[in-house]
Amino acid sequence: VRPYEETMNEWIGLIGALAGTAIGGFVTYKVADQRHSFERAAEKERRLITACESIPELLSAIASQASTLNMGVLGDLGYNSPLKGDILKEKVQLDRLRMFVDFYAPLLSTDVKAISDQFAIVSRTVAQVLLEQNRNDEWKSKTVESAVFASLEITKLAQAAQEKLGQIVQTSLAKG
């Protein structure tokens, strides 16, 4: 065996070991990357499902709270049962609803904006009932009308948004 062949064989062995290590490292990296991609996709899907379950609950809760406030206004103005400032047992979660919609269901943004606008009318009406001193029949009539129509509108908008969300989810699931 010639001296340069022996050196060449050593180099070939070293190059083979380095190539094997590089290929093994690359394969390990690709497998880990695919696993992380799958985990990220699964986490994204889990968050989407959680959000899509939370949105209808929030819509229903907000519509229910608007109805509760409306009943408080009707009780105060129609039946002389004083409206209490703490009539709602839970915080109104319009901001949480907006966040979920902005992140996970932006197609519902206009619906949620309309619900927020109507809820502002109900809230303003409640404030007027709590603060107004000069309560004549005309004022009572306009106030009750405002609260009733806004509350009914919130209920209709919430139901429409829930139906729209159902369609969005069905379309998303059909795509795969």
Side-chain angles (χ1 to χ4, degrees):
V1 177
R2 296 183 200 145
Y4 71 88
E5 286 181 10
E6 198 171 290
T7 307
M8 185 64 101
N9 286 339
E10 289 174 5
W11 276 105
I12 289 174
L14 180 62
I15 291 171
L18 290 173
T21 301
I23 291 170
F26 178 74
V27 168
T28 301
Y29 166 77
K30 290 304 277 181
V31 168
D33 187 51
Q34 284 180 336
R35 184 170 33 117
H36 289 299
S37 293
F38 174 77
E39 289 171 0
R40 282 190 301 269
E43 177 64 17
K44 182 179 179 183
E45 184 175 328
R46 186 190 63 75
R47 286 182 182 168
L48 180 62
I49 289 169
T50 300
C52 288
E53 290 171 347
S54 295
I55 290 171
E57 291 171 5
L58 289 168
L59 287 166
S60 293
I62 290 166
S64 175
Q65 289 170 326
S67 294
T68 299
L69 291 172
N70 179 46
M71 294 307 290
V73 168
L74 290 172
D76 188 300
L77 299 180
Y79 300 100
N80 294 323
S81 174
L83 176 62
K84 297 177 183 169
D86 63 348
I87 190 170
L88 295 179
K89 303 302 180 210
E90 295 178 5
K91 179 182 174 208
V92 178
Q93 296 191 34
L94 278 168
D95 290 336
R96 186 165 184 242
L97 175 62
R98 279 189 214 102
M99 181 196 69
F100 275 132
V101 167
D102 289 345
F103 288 149
Y104 301 106
L107 291 174
L108 297 178
S109 292
T110 54
D111 300 276
V112 171
K113 168 82 170 90
I115 289 169
S116 294
D117 293 346
Q118 293 300 316
F119 205 92
I121 292 170
V122 172
S123 299
R124 208 170 23 253
T125 303
V126 168
Q128 289 171 350
V129 169
L130 291 172
L131 300 173
E132 182 63 39
Q133 299 298 319
N134 186 18
R135 297 176 166 205
N136 60 39
D137 287 343
E138 182 183 352
W139 179 84
K140 286 181 179 180
S141 175
K142 285 181 181 180
T143 304
V144 166
E145 182 179 327
S146 176
V148 167
F149 285 131
S151 179
L152 290 173
E153 188 64 18
I154 289 170
T155 300
K156 287 189 330 191
L157 289 166
Q159 289 172 346
Q162 288 171 336
E163 290 173 11
K164 189 186 287 186
L165 179 63
Q167 293 169 352
I168 292 168
V169 170
Q170 286 176 350
T171 302
S172 177
L173 291 173
K175 288 180 182 176

